[in-house]
Amino acid sequence: MQFEEFTREQLPGLVRFAAVLTGDRELAQDVVQDALVHAHRAWRQLAAADRPDLYMRKIVVNGYLGWRRRWYQRSVRPTSDVSRYRELTEPDPAGRIADAHQLGGLLAGLSRAQRASIVLRFYEDRDDDEIAAVLGCAPGTVRSHISRGLSSLRVQLNEGKESV
């Protein structure tokens, strides 16, 4: 498979995935673009991988986790306006959530590792081993991130109900 063909096939899903991670469609496009530049440089290695799609998601997650380290982006925060990255022609991926804005706000309250783990599990439907490969950690750490993240989401939901 050629790089251009792979990119054409994977780009829409990568941008949607990155948009859910970052909460900002423009930042997601930047993260994916940086990931594609990195992938192009290492295309032989990527093409030889068993699951190049997972390898690309790992590059995207690493870019997402690393972008806050850059001084010029430290002031950027995830937004709760998830409608900004939703394609109008596609159904809302969080359709079961009554308020998409609430989902974005809840995800923004998680740590980056928890958010990445939860998005990979529930949005990308990945198993523990695949998530661990993307995040570069042990499967037990993935389960811990997901458990703590879901616990935090439950607390945030309960606090929101009590304040109403």
Side-chain angles (χ1 to χ4, degrees):
M1 179 182 292
Q2 297 296 322
F3 180 75
E4 292 79 14
E5 180 183 345
F6 176 80
T7 302
R8 217 174 296 114
E9 181 182 297
Q10 294 291 317
L11 186 61
L14 286 172
V15 172
R16 282 191 305 271
F17 169 67
V20 173
L21 278 179
T22 63
D24 182 333
R25 186 163 180 83
E26 288 78 24
L27 179 58
Q29 290 171 344
D30 290 344
V31 169
V32 169
Q33 183 175 8
D34 289 344
L36 289 172
V37 168
H38 178 79
H40 187 264
R41 283 190 221 131
W43 177 243
R44 289 176 195 237
Q45 189 179 9
L46 180 78
D50 290 336
R51 297 284 308 270
D53 59 318
L54 284 182
Y55 190 77
M56 273 306 301
R57 278 163 176 69
K58 180 174 183 156
I59 296 171
V60 169
V61 168
N62 287 341
Y64 165 69
L65 295 174
W67 68 261
R68 82 174 182 142
R69 294 183 198 123
R70 298 182 198 143
W71 67 269
Y72 58 88
Q73 291 179 333
R74 287 190 182 172
S75 63
V76 176
R77 299 282 183 240
T79 181
S80 62
D81 183 10
V82 296
S83 64
R84 290 178 48 183
Y85 58 82
R86 187 173 53 226
E87 297 288 332
L88 295 177
T89 59
E90 296 180 11
D92 182 5
R96 290 182 283 159
I97 305 297
D99 186 359
H101 295 288
Q102 181 184 22
L103 174 63
L106 292 170
L107 288 174
L110 300 177
S111 74
R112 293 177 179 280
Q114 289 171 349
R115 184 175 181 157
S117 297
I118 287 175
V119 169
L120 283 165
R121 168 63 51 80
F122 298 105
Y123 185 76
E124 290 279 315
D125 197 29
R126 305 292 178 173
D127 63 27
D128 290 342
D129 293 330
E130 291 174 327
I131 297 169
V134 169
L135 295 178
C137 63
T141 305
V142 168
R143 288 189 292 275
S144 175
H145 286 318
I146 291 171
S147 174
R148 289 179 181 166
L150 290 175
S151 177
S152 176
L153 290 174
R154 281 187 211 100
V155 168
Q156 290 180 51
L157 282 172
N158 287 335
E159 288 174 355
K161 287 179 183 177
E162 291 171 4
S163 66
V164 173

